[in-house]
Amino acid sequence: MVDHLNGGVAQAYVNQKKLDTETKILQANAAHFSKQTVQWMKLVDDFNTALKELGDVENWARSIETDMRTISSALEYAYRKILISALVNDS
């Protein structure tokens, strides 16, 4: 009868040792996953920031392009006025 009880106790001990080992592995994996998740979140945040900066650069480029077109139109208009004035004065 004692052997039967000892066998059950021994099996419970073996199972407990396995559970302890598996728990340690799980804790290590969870810690690794946590670190990896933090790294991924930083990468996503950095990527998001870069996209916002690209959007700012795109808006800046559009603004410069609009300004340059306005300046170009003004110069063309002034050049035509000067050309017409010169032609009228020559006649």
Side-chain angles (χ1 to χ4, degrees), residues 32-66:
H32 177 71
F33 180 70
S34 178
K35 288 178 185 176
Q36 199 171 38
T37 302
V38 168
Q39 290 173 343
W40 289 342
M41 288 174 61
K42 185 178 179 342
L43 284 173
V44 168
D45 188 46
D46 291 348
F47 181 70
N48 208 12
T49 300
L51 283 178
K52 286 179 185 177
E53 288 173 0
L54 282 176
D56 292 344
V57 169
E58 184 179 4
N59 288 336
W60 172 81
R62 283 187 189 142
S63 177
I64 294 295
E65 182 181 14
T66 302

